[in-house]
Amino acid sequence: MLLLLKTGQAESRSAAARRLGVHRNTIPNWLGRYEEGGIEKLCEIQKPGPDPGQQSIPPEAMTALKRRLSEPEDPKQLQGDPAVVYRGARRRPLLLDGLSDRPVRSRGQAKNASALSPKKSDSEQVAFKEKLPARIEAIRAEAERPVRLFCQDKSRFGIMPITRGRITLSGVKPIQQKKPGYQNFYLYGAVEPKTGKRFLLERESLDRNGFQDFLDGFSRRFPQSTNILILDNGRFHKANKLTIPENVRLIFLPPYSPELNPIERFWEDLKDHLAFDLHETLSELKERVSEKLHSYTDEAVASLTGYQYLVDAANA
């Protein structure tokens, strides 16, 4: 370390740490020991940590942990159990909030979201799919123009790079260039699952005014039809001051049901193509997004968004 810093082979403490394969905080610690007592102090052997297999968890907590892991899992028994506060537990239990008894997920339990969220209802999703053809038929009965079915959503794009998983050789860690940035913009979009036709609008913010601009533009884009928009329950989607165009009808999804909205797959595919790209400015990002959006064909979008229940409902 001293040689690297003295000869200039390492221009900084961080550079020396990288050369020596140690944490950057280790170098200041070593220098402090050198200043305190010279080479002798620097060469003193530090007190070793726990022996292999030595328990660092208090015995009483270890006993409680072993007891808890040997019992059937019952969430109500976990309140006040000291075993659940240690990260060494192999099973991550469902914890309960004592104030409301609302299920609180620990990390690793988010996969079964529909079973844990009190606001998500599988029965509502099934009912939505079953009733959608009749709702479309009712709109078709009173409409004077052809009826088309679209799905709407919005997505945020920022200059912070998008990351995705990478497959590498064993022991090889992929490297991603990253430059923190907080500038962003939003895309409002609607796609027709049956045909892949779409309408997209860029806006700087996500609010009622932006959604109103989207509705107006969407109405003008498809003026010869009555256009059904399936969308989520965002607050500004139901704002009192919204003016719904004459040829637009809104149908709201059940709460917390993004899996029923196929435009989510369109956003995901778009961001997959943007992943790992480093954009210096927001203008560069907008240009890249626009370039990719223009490369989509109707057939490609239909293959991403053509959920069968929507296609069947539109053809009913």
Side-chain angles (χ1 to χ4, degrees):
M1 172 197 67
L2 295 174
L3 180 62
L4 290 175
L5 295 173
K6 184 68 174 177
T7 60
Q9 297 181 54
E11 298 181 354
S12 64
R13 297 177 180 181
S14 296
R18 288 194 295 270
R19 291 287 298 273
L20 296 173
V22 298
H23 193 275
R24 62 180 183 273
N25 291 338
T26 303
I27 300 300
N29 292 339
W30 286 353
L31 290 174
R33 295 176 64 83
Y34 177 72
E35 293 174 357
E36 182 181 345
I39 294 295
E40 293 183 358
K41 185 69 174 179
L42 183 62
C43 293
E44 285 183 0
I45 299 176
Q46 297 289 320
K47 181 180 179 180
D51 295 329
Q54 179 179 338
Q55 293 182 359
S56 57
I57 298 177
E60 63 276 10
M62 180 60 71
T63 300
L65 179 61
K66 290 180 178 179
R67 171 179 55 80
R68 179 64 192 91
L69 292 176
S70 66
E71 296 174 352
E73 189 165 317
D74 182 356
K76 293 184 178 180
Q77 294 178 357
L78 296 176
Q79 291 180 323
D81 190 336
V84 302
V85 303
Y86 287 92
R87 299 186 66 183
R90 293 183 179 179
R91 295 159 61 190
R92 296 187 180 273
L94 175 67
L95 306 182
L96 293 179
D97 183 341
L99 295 178
S100 62
D101 282 347
R102 178 177 58 85
V104 180
R105 292 192 300 274
S106 61
R107 291 183 181 179
Q109 289 187 313
K111 291 184 179 180
N112 192 13
S114 62
L116 296 176
S117 174
K119 299 181 180 179
K120 191 181 190 72
S121 171
D122 290 339
S123 61
E124 287 187 19
Q125 293 187 355
V126 172
F128 176 83
K129 292 181 180 180
E130 293 176 347
K131 295 178 180 179
L132 183 60
R135 298 174 72 177
I136 294 176
E137 185 59 33
I139 294 173
R140 186 178 285 120
E142 56 90 18
E144 299 178 355
R145 290 170 283 197
V147 173
R148 301 175 68 174
L149 179 65
F150 292 82
C151 294
Q152 189 275 340
D153 196 24
K154 57 279 176 191
S155 190
R156 175 186 177 277
F157 295 82
I159 59 176
M160 182 77 77
I162 300 170
T163 58
R164 292 288 188 267
R166 289 292 195 194
I167 298 176
T168 66
L169 294 174
S170 178
V172 177
K173 186 174 183 179
I175 297 176
Q176 161 68 38
Q177 287 185 320
K178 198 159 187 176
K179 180 181 179 182
Y182 305 98
Q183 295 176 290
N184 62 80
F185 68 96
Y186 293 88
L187 283 181
Y188 295 76
V191 299
E192 186 176 29
K194 182 178 176 180
T195 65
K197 298 293 184 181
R198 56 208 172 275
F199 173 74
L200 297 152
L201 181 69
E202 175 191 314
R203 279 294 176 267
E204 300 303 319
S205 60
L206 196 63
D207 52 25
R208 179 187 62 83
N209 292 332
F211 185 57
Q212 183 68 70
D213 290 344
F214 167 80
L215 287 176
D216 295 339
F218 174 71
S219 173
R220 291 191 298 268
R221 174 66 177 80
F222 302 103
Q224 303 303 320
S225 56
T226 297
N227 306 296
I228 299 174
L229 269 185
I230 293 180
L231 67 169
D232 62 33
N233 293 270
R235 182 184 302 176
F236 53 83
H237 291 165
K238 300 180 178 181
N240 292 330
K241 294 184 179 180
L242 272 180
T243 301
I244 309 300
E246 184 271 335
N247 66 331
V248 175
R249 304 289 186 274
L250 304 183
I251 294 180
F252 293 97
L253 289 163
Y256 302 93
S257 302
E259 62 270 30
L260 296 183
N261 194 343
I263 196 174
E264 298 282 358
R265 292 194 66 200
F266 178 71
W267 298 135
E268 182 179 2
D269 187 79
L270 174 58
K271 291 184 178 181
D272 281 345
H273 289 282
L274 301 175
F276 303 106
D277 290 348
L278 189 64
H279 301 95
E280 295 292 337
T281 65
L282 196 61
S283 297
E284 289 182 11
L285 174 61
K286 289 181 178 181
E287 183 177 348
R288 178 73 180 94
V289 170
S290 176
E291 175 186 335
K292 179 55 189 173
L293 288 175
H294 282 89
S295 73
Y296 281 105
T297 63
D298 293 345
E299 292 75 16
V301 176
S303 70
L304 287 169
T305 62
Y307 286 10
Q308 195 61 47
Y309 90 92
L310 292 170
V311 175
D312 291 344
N315 290 331

